[in-house]
């Protein structure tokens, strides 16, 4: 069976992840490419579509094509909810990029639309498909760490502010590193802890290094006057069962301790961190141990191993969920909880008070 996919937003992530990955899934045909900038949609068609593929600048026009099965939403955060709901209502399954939406209200309406239409919805948290993440998830699910009562979600860069597109624009994105990369780290941490019941959060966002002129940066200096989102944000999340999570996120921080899309876990039977590969630690027969997990298959150019990038696994797994009518790995209800927590952290930063998620 062929799955006919349309892409909305043919920019960085569509070219860096979605289209190259989908082009390797044998059941997929990319038949529609939409971008406000027509050249981007045309380039995408030239690279990933065939002669009959269509190019659009208006997503509504694209969604009138009743032969589309799946839509990937790869536009800035402010349009995720509108585009996702429109695609679901046009009878398409949707993979929407992270973060799910700018606000939890928008995220909830996306889930309502998926339930109403009976279509599948997933969010692009590809870090779950990394070898270390999948291994650690199995370790946690098997209870090897015991009760995981504390976690750390790491999303810290020293100087890597995304200066293209609208990443620095509060209106378009809803926030800076917290919503952009903190979202990946928090998703991983909640998934490992299998705990989606936050009680309250307290956090603080900073606009410090964003105001530096001619700053050192992986993608060139930023314009401080256009940097309207935070440059760093930190938070503490307390869950209903008493477990807690420290979340650190930054695009620019004077720190040598940088790590992104990583989690550290602390349980009653053992701990784990993703610092240098994957390490599991604990105590056995009165002594402490440290176990380094080798993430490479090692030594042999193993065909499957060589091609199993997280991006490919994400695309394969998503298309298989559609073909087999199973639940996608990233459930929208889980992504909603990530959105609720991030939104509450911003609110806590603005009000200077802890924020109770269920409005206590
Ligand atoms: N999963 C990841 O690790 C990851 C990495 C980078 C970006 N992202 C997410 O992907 C999304 C896009 O980021 P990007 O880096 O690709 O940005 P980008 O600016 O490179 O690309 C976005 C594209 O969408 C187009 N666009 C905007 N509004 C549109 C609309 N209404 N209809 C059609 N096209 C529209 C723009 O013209 C642009 O070409 C963001 O939500 C971002 O958070 C995810």
């Amino acid at each position: 069976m062929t799955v006919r996919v349309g892409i909305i937003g043919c920019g960085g992530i569509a070219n860096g992840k979605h289209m190259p990955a989908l082009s390797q899934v044998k059941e997929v045909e990319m038949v529609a490419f939409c971008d406000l900038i027509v050249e981007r949609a045309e380039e995408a068609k030239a690279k990933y579509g065939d002669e009959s593929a269509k190019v659009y600048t208006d997503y509504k026009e694209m969604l009138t094509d009743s032969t589309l099965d799946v839509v990937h939403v790869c536009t800035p955060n402010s349009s995720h909810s509108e585009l996702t709901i429109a695609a679901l209502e046009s009878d398409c399954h949707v993979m929407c990029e992270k973060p799910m939406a700018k606000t939890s209200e928008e995220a909830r309406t996306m889930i309502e639309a998926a339930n109403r239409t009976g279509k599948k919805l997933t969010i692009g948290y590809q870090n779950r498909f990394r070898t270390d993440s999948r291994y650690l998830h199995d370790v946690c699910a098997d209870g090897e760490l015991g009760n995981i009562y504390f976690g750390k979600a790491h999303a810290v860069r020293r100087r890597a502010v995304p200066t293209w597109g609208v990443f620095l624009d509060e209106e378009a994105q809803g926030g800076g590193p917290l919503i952009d990369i903190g979202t990946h780290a928090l998703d991983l941490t909640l998934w490992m802890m299998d705990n989606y019941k936050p009680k309250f959060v307290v956090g603080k966002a900073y606009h410090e290094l964003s105001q530096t002129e001619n700053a050192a940066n992986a993608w060139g200096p930023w314009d401080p006057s256009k940097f309207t989102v935070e440059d760093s944000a930190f938070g503490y999340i307390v869950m209903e069962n008493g477990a807690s999570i420290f979340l650190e996120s930054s695009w620019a921080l004077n720190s040598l301790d940088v790590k992104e899309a990583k989690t550290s876990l602390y349980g009653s039977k053992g701990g784990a961190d993703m610092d240098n590969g994957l390490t599991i630690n604990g105590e056995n027969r009165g002594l402490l141990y440290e176990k380094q997990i080798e993430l490479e298959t090692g030594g042999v150019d193993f065909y499957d191993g060589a091609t199993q990038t997280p991006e490919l696994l994400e695309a394969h797994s998503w298309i298989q969920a559609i073909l087999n009518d199973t639940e996608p790995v990233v459930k929208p209800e889980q992504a909603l909880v990530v959105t609720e927590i991030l939104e509450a952290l911003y609110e806590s930063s603005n009000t200077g008070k802890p924020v109770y998620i269920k409005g206590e």
Side-chain angles (χ1 to χ4, degrees):
M1 189 195 157
T2 303
V3 178
R4 292 169 60 82
V5 180
I7 307 286
I8 312 181
C10 302
I13 196 63
N15 281 285
K17 180 176 84 166
H18 296 259
M19 299 190 293
L22 287 169
S23 71
Q24 295 198 47
V25 181
K26 65 176 189 307
E27 294 90 349
V28 165
E29 214 183 312
M30 279 178 271
V31 296
F33 301 90
C34 175
D35 200 291
L36 296 177
I37 302 168
V38 71
E39 293 79 17
R40 293 192 179 170
E42 278 165 352
E43 274 169 34
K45 169 182 164 163
K47 208 161 169 196
Y48 297 104
D50 66 12
E51 284 278 287
S52 62
K54 299 274 193 329
V55 161
Y56 303 89
T57 51
D58 180 351
Y59 78 87
K60 289 183 181 153
E61 206 185 312
M62 179 180 122
L63 294 177
T64 60
D65 177 354
S66 60
T67 68
L68 276 181
D69 300 309
V70 175
V71 165
H72 282 220
V73 174
C74 306
T75 57
N77 305 350
S78 57
S79 54
H80 285 183
S81 130
E82 177 190 326
L83 271 53
T84 296
I85 293 169
L88 289 166
E89 287 181 338
S90 303
D91 217 23
C92 292
H93 303 290
V94 178
M95 172 178 281
C96 174
E97 254 313 324
K98 53 52 51 175
M100 185 169 185
K102 264 174 69 173
T103 66
S104 59
E105 194 185 333
E106 287 177 348
R108 253 177 243 112
T109 58
M110 291 160 78
I111 293 178
E112 279 161 20
N115 292 341
R116 190 168 61 242
T117 57
K119 291 288 154 181
K120 293 186 197 300
L121 171 61
T122 194
I123 309 299
Y125 285 124
Q126 77 277 358
N127 289 294
R128 288 201 197 180
F129 294 88
R130 295 192 327 238
T131 308
D132 56 346
S133 305
R134 287 182 291 126
Y135 187 93
L136 184 55
H137 188 256
D138 285 350
V139 166
C140 297
D142 287 346
E144 286 177 41
L145 303 186
N147 170 34
I148 306 169
Y149 54 89
F150 181 50
K152 289 184 192 167
H154 312 281
V156 172
R157 299 175 181 168
R158 194 172 173 200
R159 292 289 189 286
V161 176
T163 43
W164 69 92
V166 293
F167 281 93
L168 307 188
D169 179 342
E170 173 76 38
E171 189 49 38
Q173 290 291 98
L178 181 60
I179 200 167
D180 182 46
I181 54 177
T183 191
H184 275 302
L186 182 59
D187 173 67
L188 276 184
T189 307
L190 296 177
W191 189 51
M192 300 300 173
M193 293 172 82
D194 191 24
N195 189 336
Y196 289 95
K197 292 193 169 157
K199 189 172 179 192
F200 69 90
V201 308
V202 60
K204 191 70 200 149
Y206 295 90
H207 299 250
E208 290 280 343
L209 300 192
S210 63
Q211 297 314 302
T212 311
E213 299 277 355
N214 300 315
N217 188 37
W219 294 293
W222 54 81
D223 177 350
S225 70
K226 297 204 170 110
F227 204 142
T228 56
V229 296
E230 83 280 0
D231 53 54
S232 303
F234 308 94
Y236 193 63
I237 304 140
V238 178
M239 312 300 283
E240 277 182 10
N241 73 346
S244 65
I245 297 168
F246 168 65
L247 167 56
E248 54 175 3
S249 66
S250 182
W251 285 333
L253 191 70
N254 287 322
S255 168
L256 297 179
D257 188 16
V258 292
K259 42 193 159 192
E260 185 171 344
K262 292 196 169 161
T263 186
S264 303
L265 303 172
Y266 309 85
S268 55
K269 288 191 191 161
D273 67 66
M274 293 171 150
D275 267 0
N276 298 303
L278 176 60
T279 312
I280 315 276
N281 74 80
E283 182 181 333
N284 194 13
R285 297 188 181 88
L287 289 175
L288 301 179
Y289 69 83
E290 200 178 320
K291 197 162 58 173
Q292 184 76 32
I293 310 302
E294 292 193 21
L295 299 170
E296 305 292 332
T297 35
V300 186
D301 195 6
F302 187 57
Y303 177 74
D304 279 342
T307 58
Q308 299 290 305
T309 63
E311 296 78 13
L312 250 187
L313 285 171
E314 178 188 59
H316 267 292
S317 153
W318 165 232
I319 299 301
Q320 289 311 311
I322 292 165
L323 290 172
N324 302 325
D325 194 17
T326 52
E327 265 202 293
V329 170
V330 179
K331 297 170 188 47
E333 293 79 8
Q334 298 170 332
L336 165 65
V337 175
V338 175
T339 306
E340 282 176 334
I341 292 174
L342 299 183
E343 181 180 56
L345 282 173
Y346 282 123
E347 189 185 332
S348 170
S349 179
N350 290 335
T351 59
K353 292 181 180 159
V355 172
Y356 281 78
I357 305 279
K358 300 273 182 267
E360 250 174 69

